[in-house]
Amino acid sequence: MNDAAACARRIHELYADDLRGEAGLLHVAVVWRSPERDLINIAMNDAKPASPTDDFVLGVARARADAIITTGANLRLERNLTHAYHPDTQTADALACWRREVLGKDEAPLSVVLTRDTAIDLEHRLFQHAQRSLVFTGEGATSVLRDRSRAEGLVLVGDAAPDLAGLFYHLRRREGCATLSVEAGPSTARALYGAEGPRVDELMLSLCLEPDLAPRARAGPFVEVESIEALLGPAASRCEVEEPSGRWSFRRYRRGSPGRSK
């Protein structure tokens, strides 16, 4: 894949949509459907089943975003985490081209970390790779972290009670971000589907349909399908793909979208 047009064609194949509009609060997730039909988060380690399409989907979500949100816990678990669009340079360049030419976004997305931990590693690869980054933390933590920060372009923001709601407010009102892409662990992600607090507007879900998954690849329960559909309605699109690891389904849920399948 080497240009914006190729990205656009692949996106339309997967989602029957060009994804041009702002997504609002966007959640991107990769899960396994167990034999009991429960959805289980797939861990980001070497036991994760291979899916080139899921790699592309994650890159699309990042390329759509004005800000990509992760947590301090994710940084501890994924020592090599960055917000690069794709591990393949040509595909990453194509997604960057799609972002500029199709979405009209010239700036790189802001890499954001939500944490209360003053021991956060500011030398982590995420900060070294990002063109722009922000740590949203407690008021008392900013001075401690400022003394240790050497990453160029890193902004430290202190809040009396740093949480997702406060972070979303800051990114929208202070940073002017319209599409916020959340890449977070199970407990943080589940809060986006609850009765209180900020709620997700769109879910890009990569679903492994194979009958088994290595225990090391299982990272705890995801949100129940019933809760997803209660909030977002039925999947706006579904596309099944045969991957090196078996059958996968790539689904997009969007608040207010009529359900349709492919």
Side-chain angles (χ1 to χ4, degrees):
M1 189 171 298
N2 54 19
D3 59 16
C7 282
R9 286 192 296 272
R10 183 59 175 145
I11 288 166
H12 202 274
E13 288 171 358
L14 288 170
Y15 299 116
D17 195 291
D18 60 17
L19 305 187
R20 285 176 182 264
E22 297 292 359
L25 187 52
L26 170 65
H27 184 205
V28 56
V30 54
V31 304
W32 170 64
R33 187 173 65 189
S34 74
E36 295 76 30
R37 303 188 72 81
D38 296 325
L39 300 186
I40 306 298
N41 287 283
I42 294 179
M44 297 297 104
N45 58 34
D46 57 6
K48 177 183 181 290
S51 171
T53 306
D54 176 57
D55 293 340
F56 179 70
V57 165
L58 178 60
V60 171
R62 289 173 174 177
R64 296 174 71 191
D66 299 307
I68 304 167
I69 299 164
T70 190
T71 62
N74 272 14
L75 296 197
R76 290 191 296 274
L77 287 171
E78 300 181 52
R79 300 303 307 166
N80 293 318
L81 175 67
T82 73
H83 286 158
Y85 296 145
H86 200 275
D88 173 70
T89 302
Q90 284 191 335
T91 304
D93 289 345
L95 283 164
C97 186
W98 177 77
R99 175 183 173 86
R100 289 192 305 272
E101 294 184 10
V102 177
L103 303 186
K105 299 188 178 191
D106 296 323
E107 272 195 313
L110 179 66
S111 289
V112 180
V113 180
L114 171 65
T115 185
R116 299 184 183 214
D117 186 4
T118 57
I120 182 174
D121 179 11
L122 296 180
E123 301 299 316
H124 192 283
R125 283 192 67 202
L126 181 87
F127 300 115
Q128 306 307 317
H129 181 275
Q131 294 183 35
R132 302 182 302 137
S133 54
L134 182 149
V135 173
F136 193 77
T137 187
E139 288 178 338
T142 54
S143 58
V144 176
L145 295 177
R146 191 169 290 113
D147 290 341
R148 293 173 29 224
S149 172
R150 293 199 297 271
E152 190 173 337
L154 173 61
V155 175
L156 301 171
V157 177
D159 188 86
D163 59 10
L164 281 174
L167 174 57
F168 296 154
Y169 181 89
H170 175 85
L171 291 174
R172 285 170 168 152
R173 297 298 179 90
R174 305 295 184 186
E175 304 292 339
C177 298
T179 295
L180 310 178
S181 182
V182 179
E183 301 177 16
S187 60
T188 301
R190 289 183 72 85
L192 302 176
Y193 299 84
E196 300 179 0
R199 289 176 157 196
V200 68
D201 296 303
E202 181 176 327
L203 169 63
M204 296 174 70
L205 185 68
S206 299
L207 178 61
C208 180
L209 300 176
E210 288 301 292
D212 196 17
L213 183 71
R216 285 186 57 247
R218 305 180 191 190
F222 189 66
V223 183
E224 299 82 4
V225 172
E226 294 77 11
S227 297
I228 295 170
E229 294 190 348
L231 178 60
L232 300 176
S237 63
R238 300 171 184 237
C239 182
E240 289 200 9
V241 178
E242 193 70 27
E243 296 284 70
S245 54
R247 283 192 314 127
W248 287 68
S249 178
F250 298 91
R251 304 179 182 183
R252 178 172 176 251
Y253 295 84
R254 175 74 188 168
R255 195 193 299 263
S257 292
R260 62 183 185 273
S261 63
K262 179 183 175 186

